[in-house]
Amino acid sequence: QTYNAQRMQAFIEGRMTLGELEGIDKKQQYELANIGHHALQEGKLDRAFTVFGGLVALDPYDAYFRLGLGTVFHLQEEHEKAETQYSESIRYNPFLAAAFAQRGELRVMQGMLHEGAVDLLKAVELDPGGQQPTTLRARATLQVLKDQIGSMSPEELERLAKESTESR
């Protein structure tokens, strides 16, 4: 395919996404994202990776595509890559509760309790009615953290905080 010089220049300068250059509109991209979402639900991580990786290539500024790719990495236990994608998702849409919830869960799993709790609280703040499953999980995780921390002595909390800090 040959490209108009102005369009190619706009792509090179970052003023146009690959999706726009190729003529793949947002409706088509979100139809592909739906396929990726179903692949995630079915546990077909290779297929989900292909879909969301391709979508991020088409539009690296789309928070939902970044969230999907982060979820794939999370499920593949590639935690650093997952956190990067969740953070990029939040960067492009700071109102996406699911990105905060998933990054918060990941951080808690990695022992980053404070950072994880901050993200989980932000997810709940963005979705106070608990409309999204990820926000419901965020609430449950916060409750577990509260219950666990509430039953610890100050000495245990200090030791846990010190261990968590030293392990990074």
Side-chain angles (χ1 to χ4, degrees):
Q1 180 175 357
T2 57
Y3 299 102
N4 168 304
Q6 287 178 321
R7 291 175 58 80
M8 182 59 88
Q9 188 66 33
F11 173 71
I12 291 168
E13 293 172 358
R15 295 182 288 116
M16 177 181 283
T17 65
L18 181 60
E20 292 168 325
L21 181 66
E22 290 290 336
I24 303 170
D25 66 27
K26 284 313 244 183
K27 182 179 182 218
Q28 293 169 309
Q29 291 176 26
Y30 274 93
E31 287 171 2
L32 288 171
N34 194 37
I35 292 169
H37 181 74
H38 287 296
L40 278 172
Q41 288 179 321
E42 295 170 0
K44 298 178 180 175
L45 299 183
D46 289 341
R47 182 173 186 170
F49 172 78
T50 299
V51 171
F52 284 113
L55 287 168
V56 167
L58 289 175
D59 186 350
Y61 311 109
D62 189 291
Y64 182 73
F65 302 161
R66 294 282 186 169
L67 176 63
L69 187 57
T71 302
V72 172
F73 287 137
H74 194 151
L75 293 171
Q76 291 175 331
E77 297 186 14
E78 295 189 47
H79 298 150
E80 193 172 310
K81 290 179 181 179
E83 177 150 357
T84 296
Q85 293 303 318
Y86 293 151
S87 295
E88 287 296 296
S89 180
I90 291 165
R91 178 176 157 207
Y92 296 123
N93 182 352
F95 304 102
L96 189 57
F100 281 102
Q102 290 184 218
R103 187 176 74 176
E105 289 175 5
L106 179 66
R107 287 176 167 180
V108 167
M109 286 176 17
Q110 294 180 306
M112 299 167 51
L113 300 181
H114 176 74
E115 296 90 339
V118 168
D119 279 348
L120 295 169
L121 286 167
K122 183 66 174 178
V124 170
E125 176 187 316
L126 290 169
D127 182 20
Q131 300 299 311
Q132 300 175 36
T134 53
T135 308
L136 295 176
R137 282 198 326 267
R139 282 182 192 279
T141 303
L142 283 167
Q143 187 60 49
V144 168
L145 286 173
K146 182 180 174 190
D147 292 345
Q148 287 179 347
I149 290 172
S151 67
M152 288 184 186
S153 70
E155 294 80 22
E156 288 176 301
L157 279 172
E158 186 176 333
R159 181 188 53 77
L160 180 64
K162 186 177 181 182
E163 287 174 4
S164 176
T165 304
E166 290 173 353
S167 69
R168 282 191 258 157

